[in-house]
Amino acid sequence: MGKVTGFMEIDRQVAKYQPASDRIRHFREFTIPMSDAEVTKQAARCMDCGIPYCHGPTGCPVHNQIPDWNDLVYNNKWEEAIRNLHSTNNFPEFTGRVCPAPCEEACTLNLEDMPVAIKTVEQAIADKAYELGFIVPQPATVHTGKKVAIIGSGPSGLAAAQQLGRAGHEVHVYERESKAGGLLRYGIPDFKMEKNFIDRRVEQMKGENVTFHCGVNVGVDVKVEKLLSDYDAVLYCGGSETPREAGIPGVDLHGVYDAMPYLVQQNRRVGRENIDSTGWPSDPILAGGKHVVVVGGGDTASDCVGTAFRQGAVKVTQLDIRPRPPEKEDKLAVWPFWATRMRTSSSQAEGAIREFQVATLEFVGEDGVLTGVKCCQVDDRRKPIAGTEFIIKADLGFIAIGFSGPFKDSVLKELDGKLNLNVDSRGSTNVIANTNDYKTSVDKLWTAGDVRRGQSLVVWAIREGRQAARAIDEALMGSSVLPR
């Protein structure tokens, strides 16, 4: 694959970033694209490794045929490359920007800490395909006469909608917010992925027999029972949006917020939308001139860090209860699986202070207003160590410790008692359905994405949307040519 000796002759290279001092002054993407020649050289590094762990099941959830399209890029066959990439992934321009790239962790060259720049090549293929006009609507030539409703327009809902539309069904997507995209649009900051990429896909899908109904909160504005009556199938892709309960005293102080309302607000500002949003607080949340503390060590916490810096925060501290991970993992013990090691996101590299193995004991304040965060060090079992307490000054605090399932005031509220729900060890509530047919306990209702599996990656949502689309197509037509 690629150039036979490429991995020995060419060093790994990925796209560079604008300097932190420049990129924190705007909310646009700050990655500096590589030239076609540079991308081709990186594709040439893909080696004939025999067993390409990169494309699954340990590497890529959608099973991208990575060695194949690396070889096509190396041979300057961009149209064939995007066709191959689209055969497994509806939205490579999304995953090429926001996926953490488990494929690169599983790359054989990662044994030498020099994996193929798979994510960079993937994004380049998608961007090049748009530039050359290869991405256009692909409407079905035969219409089935069947109607499918999809609740939610996040990555799983969009992937399912596109697959079902191309299979010839009439597809209607219902989205609570004013624009399609779900947390792709309202949760992921623009500096990680600008939203014109979603808009382009929506326009493509409108030409593929997909109709979008935005500003419609299913279960409130339109009853699920009506959708089940009017459509041949309904797919619930509501995502996982309910913030996990932190159980920290002082969360009711002014200045303490869950992470998602903050991110949604800023994304709506950037999109020139009203900041009011169904299900989220509407008071303006701004970090300009403030000391900010973010509780949590994941991607959502990192997004809060980057957003706070761009709003003009004086200081941003991120608290992580986990021990500081090692700088380098033991390859032979963990490869090709995702390794626990020290990782620094672009947002953290913009100046965040990171505290590890620290528990948040209390948000403290005066006259109902946040003034600080009381913390302490913890042992290996995450138990507080006596005498290690300290207070970090804070004018603004964000809780970013994950999500416990979909909003419960719409679809779940209406179907209470009819849906089988699963409660995991951390209290997350997910709708039960298996990965063979994605059917729920309610007739004609399927489910996919984070609402089924719990909070996860965009690439997993795309996979589930595609698989659920095939299951629905099979149920409606008796067979399906859609891939899983």
mmCIF file of all heavy atoms in Angstrom, residues 26-65:
data_model
loop_
_atom_site.group_PDB
_atom_site.id
_atom_site.type_symbol
_atom_site.label_atom_id
_atom_site.label_comp_id
_atom_site.label_asym_id
_atom_site.label_seq_id
_atom_site.Cartn_x
_atom_site.Cartn_y
_atom_site.Cartn_z
ATOM 1 N N HIS A 26 -9.900 34.368 17.688
ATOM 2 C CA HIS A 26 -11.054 34.131 16.806
ATOM 3 C C HIS A 26 -11.607 32.735 17.063
ATOM 4 O O HIS A 26 -11.003 31.931 17.778
ATOM 5 C CB HIS A 26 -10.648 34.280 15.336
ATOM 6 C CG HIS A 26 -9.590 33.312 14.886
ATOM 7 N ND1 HIS A 26 -9.853 31.987 14.581
ATOM 8 C CD2 HIS A 26 -8.246 33.463 14.707
ATOM 9 C CE1 HIS A 26 -8.748 31.383 14.229
ATOM 10 N NE2 HIS A 26 -7.747 32.238 14.301
ATOM 11 N N PHE A 27 -12.793 32.445 16.496
ATOM 12 C CA PHE A 27 -13.446 31.151 16.674
ATOM 13 C C PHE A 27 -13.400 30.311 15.404
ATOM 14 O O PHE A 27 -14.103 29.304 15.300
ATOM 15 C CB PHE A 27 -14.898 31.344 17.123
ATOM 16 C CG PHE A 27 -15.036 31.633 18.592
ATOM 17 C CD1 PHE A 27 -14.986 32.925 19.068
ATOM 18 C CD2 PHE A 27 -15.188 30.596 19.501
ATOM 19 C CE1 PHE A 27 -15.104 33.199 20.422
ATOM 20 C CE2 PHE A 27 -15.300 30.848 20.864
ATOM 21 C CZ PHE A 27 -15.265 32.154 21.326
ATOM 22 N N ARG A 28 -12.591 30.698 14.440
ATOM 23 C CA ARG A 28 -12.494 29.922 13.204
ATOM 24 C C ARG A 28 -11.532 28.739 13.397
ATOM 25 O O ARG A 28 -10.758 28.707 14.352
ATOM 26 C CB ARG A 28 -12.005 30.804 12.056
ATOM 27 C CG ARG A 28 -12.889 32.006 11.765
ATOM 28 C CD ARG A 28 -12.368 32.785 10.576
ATOM 29 N NE ARG A 28 -10.991 33.235 10.759
ATOM 30 C CZ ARG A 28 -10.640 34.333 11.420
ATOM 31 N NH1 ARG A 28 -11.563 35.096 11.974
ATOM 32 N NH2 ARG A 28 -9.370 34.670 11.529
ATOM 33 N N GLU A 29 -11.572 27.791 12.458
ATOM 34 C CA GLU A 29 -10.594 26.717 12.485
ATOM 35 C C GLU A 29 -9.190 27.311 12.316
ATOM 36 O O GLU A 29 -9.010 28.300 11.609
ATOM 37 C CB GLU A 29 -10.878 25.713 11.366
ATOM 38 C CG GLU A 29 -12.140 24.887 11.586
ATOM 39 C CD GLU A 29 -12.336 23.848 10.498
ATOM 40 O OE1 GLU A 29 -11.381 23.551 9.752
ATOM 41 O OE2 GLU A 29 -13.457 23.318 10.384
ATOM 42 N N PHE A 30 -8.217 26.704 12.958
ATOM 43 C CA PHE A 30 -6.870 27.273 12.953
ATOM 44 C C PHE A 30 -5.816 26.303 12.413
ATOM 45 O O PHE A 30 -4.625 26.577 12.472
ATOM 46 C CB PHE A 30 -6.472 27.718 14.367
ATOM 47 C CG PHE A 30 -6.689 26.673 15.423
ATOM 48 C CD1 PHE A 30 -5.783 25.642 15.597
ATOM 49 C CD2 PHE A 30 -7.814 26.717 16.233
ATOM 50 C CE1 PHE A 30 -5.980 24.681 16.564
ATOM 51 C CE2 PHE A 30 -8.020 25.748 17.208
ATOM 52 C CZ PHE A 30 -7.101 24.738 17.373
ATOM 53 N N THR A 31 -6.277 25.164 11.892
ATOM 54 C CA THR A 31 -5.347 24.215 11.284
ATOM 55 C C THR A 31 -4.887 24.739 9.926
ATOM 56 O O THR A 31 -5.706 25.207 9.129
ATOM 57 C CB THR A 31 -6.014 22.845 11.098
ATOM 58 O OG1 THR A 31 -6.439 22.369 12.380
ATOM 59 C CG2 THR A 31 -5.052 21.848 10.489
ATOM 60 N N ILE A 32 -3.604 24.678 9.674
ATOM 61 C CA ILE A 32 -3.055 25.128 8.398
ATOM 62 C C ILE A 32 -3.011 23.934 7.445
ATOM 63 O O ILE A 32 -2.255 22.980 7.682
ATOM 64 C CB ILE A 32 -1.643 25.718 8.591
ATOM 65 C CG1 ILE A 32 -1.708 26.889 9.590
ATOM 66 C CG2 ILE A 32 -1.067 26.168 7.257
ATOM 67 C CD1 ILE A 32 -0.338 27.397 10.011
ATOM 68 N N PRO A 33 -3.834 23.938 6.394
ATOM 69 C CA PRO A 33 -3.910 22.768 5.508
ATOM 70 C C PRO A 33 -2.556 22.450 4.867
ATOM 71 O O PRO A 33 -1.767 23.334 4.551
ATOM 72 C CB PRO A 33 -4.938 23.190 4.448
ATOM 73 C CG PRO A 33 -5.712 24.306 5.064
ATOM 74 C CD PRO A 33 -4.750 25.022 5.963
ATOM 75 N N MET A 34 -2.323 21.172 4.673
ATOM 76 C CA MET A 34 -1.120 20.732 3.986
ATOM 77 C C MET A 34 -1.363 20.741 2.479
ATOM 78 O O MET A 34 -2.494 20.624 2.019
ATOM 79 C CB MET A 34 -0.738 19.318 4.453
ATOM 80 C CG MET A 34 -0.303 19.273 5.909
ATOM 81 S SD MET A 34 -0.213 17.589 6.592
ATOM 82 C CE MET A 34 0.981 16.821 5.522
ATOM 83 N N SER A 35 -0.304 20.872 1.717
ATOM 84 C CA SER A 35 -0.424 20.843 0.259
ATOM 85 C C SER A 35 -0.743 19.432 -0.211
ATOM 86 O O SER A 35 -0.530 18.452 0.519
ATOM 87 C CB SER A 35 0.875 21.317 -0.388
ATOM 88 O OG SER A 35 1.913 20.369 -0.159
ATOM 89 N N ASP A 36 -1.241 19.324 -1.442
ATOM 90 C CA ASP A 36 -1.532 17.995 -1.999
ATOM 91 C C ASP A 36 -0.285 17.117 -2.008
ATOM 92 O O ASP A 36 -0.342 15.919 -1.713
ATOM 93 C CB ASP A 36 -2.074 18.136 -3.430
ATOM 94 C CG ASP A 36 -3.470 18.735 -3.468
ATOM 95 O OD1 ASP A 36 -4.068 18.920 -2.393
ATOM 96 O OD2 ASP A 36 -3.952 19.019 -4.587
ATOM 97 N N ALA A 37 0.854 17.714 -2.333
ATOM 98 C CA ALA A 37 2.098 16.951 -2.388
ATOM 99 C C ALA A 37 2.470 16.411 -1.002
ATOM 100 O O ALA A 37 2.923 15.260 -0.861
ATOM 101 C CB ALA A 37 3.222 17.820 -2.936
ATOM 102 N N GLU A 38 2.257 17.228 0.037
ATOM 103 C CA GLU A 38 2.573 16.788 1.393
ATOM 104 C C GLU A 38 1.632 15.671 1.832
ATOM 105 O O GLU A 38 2.048 14.702 2.472
ATOM 106 C CB GLU A 38 2.480 17.971 2.358
ATOM 107 C CG GLU A 38 3.574 19.017 2.165
ATOM 108 C CD GLU A 38 3.324 20.271 2.978
ATOM 109 O OE1 GLU A 38 2.142 20.662 3.145
ATOM 110 O OE2 GLU A 38 4.309 20.871 3.442
ATOM 111 N N VAL A 39 0.342 15.805 1.494
ATOM 112 C CA VAL A 39 -0.625 14.772 1.843
ATOM 113 C C VAL A 39 -0.280 13.466 1.138
ATOM 114 O O VAL A 39 -0.341 12.376 1.723
ATOM 115 C CB VAL A 39 -2.059 15.226 1.480
ATOM 116 C CG1 VAL A 39 -3.051 14.082 1.674
ATOM 117 C CG2 VAL A 39 -2.479 16.420 2.324
ATOM 118 N N THR A 40 0.092 13.565 -0.133
ATOM 119 C CA THR A 40 0.460 12.379 -0.907
ATOM 120 C C THR A 40 1.643 11.659 -0.276
ATOM 121 O O THR A 40 1.676 10.424 -0.200
ATOM 122 C CB THR A 40 0.795 12.781 -2.358
ATOM 123 O OG1 THR A 40 -0.358 13.371 -2.960
ATOM 124 C CG2 THR A 40 1.221 11.577 -3.171
ATOM 125 N N LYS A 41 2.621 12.420 0.207
ATOM 126 C CA LYS A 41 3.781 11.815 0.864
ATOM 127 C C LYS A 41 3.362 11.080 2.143
ATOM 128 O O LYS A 41 3.868 9.992 2.438
ATOM 129 C CB LYS A 41 4.818 12.881 1.183
ATOM 130 C CG LYS A 41 5.579 13.408 -0.029
ATOM 131 C CD LYS A 41 6.529 14.537 0.340
ATOM 132 C CE LYS A 41 7.641 14.059 1.243
ATOM 133 N NZ LYS A 41 8.618 15.152 1.541
ATOM 134 N N GLN A 42 2.425 11.663 2.879
ATOM 135 C CA GLN A 42 1.973 11.006 4.104
ATOM 136 C C GLN A 42 1.198 9.734 3.797
ATOM 137 O O GLN A 42 1.329 8.730 4.501
ATOM 138 C CB GLN A 42 1.131 11.971 4.944
ATOM 139 C CG GLN A 42 1.915 13.130 5.527
ATOM 140 C CD GLN A 42 3.136 12.673 6.309
ATOM 141 O OE1 GLN A 42 3.024 11.884 7.256
ATOM 142 N NE2 GLN A 42 4.316 13.138 5.911
ATOM 143 N N ALA A 43 0.399 9.768 2.733
ATOM 144 C CA ALA A 43 -0.323 8.558 2.319
ATOM 145 C C ALA A 43 0.649 7.465 1.895
ATOM 146 O O ALA A 43 0.389 6.265 2.079
ATOM 147 C CB ALA A 43 -1.284 8.889 1.180
ATOM 148 N N ALA A 44 1.781 7.880 1.340
ATOM 149 C CA ALA A 44 2.787 6.916 0.881
ATOM 150 C C ALA A 44 3.422 6.148 2.031
ATOM 151 O O ALA A 44 4.035 5.098 1.817
ATOM 152 C CB ALA A 44 3.886 7.647 0.095
ATOM 153 N N ARG A 45 3.286 6.641 3.262
ATOM 154 C CA ARG A 45 3.888 5.974 4.423
ATOM 155 C C ARG A 45 3.111 4.720 4.838
ATOM 156 O O ARG A 45 3.590 3.930 5.638
ATOM 157 C CB ARG A 45 3.956 6.927 5.617
ATOM 158 C CG ARG A 45 4.865 8.126 5.403
ATOM 159 C CD ARG A 45 4.994 8.944 6.683
ATOM 160 N NE ARG A 45 5.693 8.186 7.720
ATOM 161 C CZ ARG A 45 5.155 7.812 8.869
ATOM 162 N NH1 ARG A 45 3.890 8.112 9.143
ATOM 163 N NH2 ARG A 45 5.860 7.126 9.750
ATOM 164 N N CYS A 46 1.880 4.550 4.333
ATOM 165 C CA CYS A 46 1.080 3.377 4.697
ATOM 166 C C CYS A 46 1.792 2.120 4.207
ATOM 167 O O CYS A 46 2.035 1.948 3.010
ATOM 168 C CB CYS A 46 -0.311 3.494 4.078
ATOM 169 S SG CYS A 46 -1.488 2.275 4.679
ATOM 170 N N MET A 47 2.134 1.258 5.123
ATOM 171 C CA MET A 47 2.982 0.112 4.788
ATOM 172 C C MET A 47 2.147 -1.140 4.534
ATOM 173 O O MET A 47 0.980 -1.226 4.930
ATOM 174 C CB MET A 47 3.970 -0.137 5.926
ATOM 175 C CG MET A 47 3.300 -0.504 7.250
ATOM 176 S SD MET A 47 4.417 -0.550 8.660
ATOM 177 C CE MET A 47 5.465 -1.917 8.237
ATOM 178 N N ASP A 48 2.727 -2.094 3.897
ATOM 179 C CA ASP A 48 2.078 -3.383 3.657
ATOM 180 C C ASP A 48 2.238 -4.216 4.923
ATOM 181 O O ASP A 48 3.058 -5.128 4.995
ATOM 182 C CB ASP A 48 2.730 -4.066 2.448
ATOM 183 C CG ASP A 48 1.982 -5.323 2.039
ATOM 184 O OD1 ASP A 48 0.895 -5.559 2.609
ATOM 185 O OD2 ASP A 48 2.482 -6.054 1.177
ATOM 186 N N CYS A 49 1.411 -3.910 5.948
ATOM 187 C CA CYS A 49 1.640 -4.471 7.273
ATOM 188 C C CYS A 49 0.999 -5.835 7.464
ATOM 189 O O CYS A 49 1.088 -6.414 8.544
ATOM 190 C CB CYS A 49 1.172 -3.502 8.356
ATOM 191 S SG CYS A 49 -0.567 -3.076 8.259
ATOM 192 N N GLY A 50 0.317 -6.355 6.457
ATOM 193 C CA GLY A 50 -0.254 -7.690 6.566
ATOM 194 C C GLY A 50 -1.622 -7.692 7.202
ATOM 195 O O GLY A 50 -2.615 -8.053 6.582
ATOM 196 N N ILE A 51 -1.715 -7.298 8.458
ATOM 197 C CA ILE A 51 -3.005 -7.193 9.154
ATOM 198 C C ILE A 51 -3.204 -5.735 9.543
ATOM 199 O O ILE A 51 -2.618 -5.263 10.519
ATOM 200 C CB ILE A 51 -3.048 -8.080 10.413
ATOM 201 C CG1 ILE A 51 -2.817 -9.545 10.033
ATOM 202 C CG2 ILE A 51 -4.383 -7.919 11.126
ATOM 203 C CD1 ILE A 51 -2.760 -10.485 11.208
ATOM 204 N N PRO A 52 -4.001 -4.989 8.774
ATOM 205 C CA PRO A 52 -4.188 -3.555 9.052
ATOM 206 C C PRO A 52 -5.173 -3.321 10.196
ATOM 207 O O PRO A 52 -6.380 -3.172 9.986
ATOM 208 C CB PRO A 52 -4.725 -3.019 7.725
ATOM 209 C CG PRO A 52 -5.417 -4.185 7.092
ATOM 210 C CD PRO A 52 -4.689 -5.417 7.541
ATOM 211 N N TYR A 53 -4.655 -3.303 11.409
ATOM 212 C CA TYR A 53 -5.511 -3.083 12.574
ATOM 213 C C TYR A 53 -6.221 -1.730 12.530
ATOM 214 O O TYR A 53 -7.210 -1.522 13.233
ATOM 215 C CB TYR A 53 -4.672 -3.169 13.855
ATOM 216 C CG TYR A 53 -4.254 -4.568 14.219
ATOM 217 C CD1 TYR A 53 -2.995 -5.053 13.860
ATOM 218 C CD2 TYR A 53 -5.103 -5.407 14.923
ATOM 219 C CE1 TYR A 53 -2.607 -6.344 14.193
ATOM 220 C CE2 TYR A 53 -4.723 -6.703 15.268
ATOM 221 C CZ TYR A 53 -3.473 -7.159 14.886
ATOM 222 O OH TYR A 53 -3.098 -8.433 15.220
ATOM 223 N N CYS A 54 -5.752 -0.816 11.717
ATOM 224 C CA CYS A 54 -6.310 0.537 11.676
ATOM 225 C C CYS A 54 -7.781 0.549 11.310
ATOM 226 O O CYS A 54 -8.530 1.426 11.759
ATOM 227 C CB CYS A 54 -5.524 1.405 10.686
ATOM 228 S SG CYS A 54 -5.533 0.754 8.995
ATOM 229 N N HIS A 55 -8.229 -0.396 10.458
ATOM 230 C CA HIS A 55 -9.628 -0.280 10.032
ATOM 231 C C HIS A 55 -10.566 -1.274 10.700
ATOM 232 O O HIS A 55 -11.581 -1.656 10.155
ATOM 233 C CB HIS A 55 -9.763 -0.289 8.505
ATOM 234 C CG HIS A 55 -9.339 -1.524 7.785
ATOM 235 N ND1 HIS A 55 -10.070 -2.682 7.794
ATOM 236 C CD2 HIS A 55 -8.276 -1.766 6.991
ATOM 237 C CE1 HIS A 55 -9.481 -3.578 7.017
ATOM 238 N NE2 HIS A 55 -8.385 -3.041 6.531
ATOM 239 N N GLY A 56 -10.269 -1.644 11.914
ATOM 240 C CA GLY A 56 -11.251 -2.316 12.744
ATOM 241 C C GLY A 56 -10.915 -3.775 13.014
ATOM 242 O O GLY A 56 -10.113 -4.375 12.320
ATOM 243 N N PRO A 57 -11.531 -4.289 14.102
ATOM 244 C CA PRO A 57 -12.437 -3.568 15.005
ATOM 245 C C PRO A 57 -11.717 -2.723 16.063
ATOM 246 O O PRO A 57 -12.344 -1.933 16.749
ATOM 247 C CB PRO A 57 -13.217 -4.697 15.683
ATOM 248 C CG PRO A 57 -12.233 -5.835 15.718
ATOM 249 C CD PRO A 57 -11.448 -5.730 14.436
ATOM 250 N N THR A 58 -10.406 -2.873 16.192
ATOM 251 C CA THR A 58 -9.685 -2.100 17.213
ATOM 252 C C THR A 58 -9.445 -0.657 16.785
ATOM 253 O O THR A 58 -9.271 0.225 17.625
ATOM 254 C CB THR A 58 -8.319 -2.750 17.505
ATOM 255 O OG1 THR A 58 -7.622 -2.918 16.265
ATOM 256 C CG2 THR A 58 -8.493 -4.096 18.171
ATOM 257 N N GLY A 59 -9.432 -0.390 15.489
ATOM 258 C CA GLY A 59 -9.082 0.937 15.004
ATOM 259 C C GLY A 59 -10.272 1.813 14.692
ATOM 260 O O GLY A 59 -10.623 2.698 15.467
ATOM 261 N N CYS A 60 -10.919 1.577 13.556
ATOM 262 C CA CYS A 60 -11.964 2.488 13.079
ATOM 263 C C CYS A 60 -13.350 1.891 13.255
ATOM 264 O O CYS A 60 -13.657 0.843 12.673
ATOM 265 C CB CYS A 60 -11.727 2.807 11.601
ATOM 266 S SG CYS A 60 -12.969 3.928 10.911
ATOM 267 N N PRO A 61 -14.231 2.527 14.039
ATOM 268 C CA PRO A 61 -15.583 1.997 14.242
ATOM 269 C C PRO A 61 -16.392 1.826 12.951
ATOM 270 O O PRO A 61 -17.219 0.919 12.867
ATOM 271 C CB PRO A 61 -16.234 3.041 15.161
ATOM 272 C CG PRO A 61 -15.089 3.617 15.928
ATOM 273 C CD PRO A 61 -13.958 3.676 14.936
ATOM 274 N N VAL A 62 -16.171 2.680 11.949
ATOM 275 C CA VAL A 62 -16.921 2.526 10.698
ATOM 276 C C VAL A 62 -16.179 1.649 9.690
ATOM 277 O O VAL A 62 -16.627 1.463 8.569
ATOM 278 C CB VAL A 62 -17.257 3.891 10.042
ATOM 279 C CG1 VAL A 62 -18.233 4.670 10.889
ATOM 280 C CG2 VAL A 62 -16.007 4.698 9.770
ATOM 281 N N HIS A 63 -15.032 1.133 10.099
ATOM 282 C CA HIS A 63 -14.233 0.232 9.258
ATOM 283 C C HIS A 63 -13.793 0.897 7.948
ATOM 284 O O HIS A 63 -13.884 0.301 6.870
ATOM 285 C CB HIS A 63 -15.000 -1.066 8.973
ATOM 286 C CG HIS A 63 -15.330 -1.845 10.208
ATOM 287 N ND1 HIS A 63 -14.405 -2.598 10.897
ATOM 288 C CD2 HIS A 63 -16.487 -1.963 10.909
ATOM 289 C CE1 HIS A 63 -14.969 -3.163 11.951
ATOM 290 N NE2 HIS A 63 -16.233 -2.784 11.986
ATOM 291 N N ASN A 64 -13.332 2.133 8.046
ATOM 292 C CA ASN A 64 -12.747 2.788 6.871
ATOM 293 C C ASN A 64 -11.644 1.913 6.287
ATOM 294 O O ASN A 64 -10.817 1.362 7.030
ATOM 295 C CB ASN A 64 -12.132 4.139 7.261
ATOM 296 C CG ASN A 64 -13.166 5.238 7.378
ATOM 297 O OD1 ASN A 64 -14.242 5.161 6.798
ATOM 298 N ND2 ASN A 64 -12.827 6.286 8.126
ATOM 299 N N GLN A 65 -11.612 1.807 4.972
ATOM 300 C CA GLN A 65 -10.605 0.983 4.294
ATOM 301 C C GLN A 65 -9.340 1.820 4.079
ATOM 302 O O GLN A 65 -8.989 2.206 2.960
ATOM 303 C CB GLN A 65 -11.178 0.471 2.973
ATOM 304 C CG GLN A 65 -12.409 -0.401 3.203
ATOM 305 C CD GLN A 65 -13.151 -0.721 1.925
ATOM 306 O OE1 GLN A 65 -12.931 -1.760 1.310
ATOM 307 N NE2 GLN A 65 -14.029 0.174 1.506
#
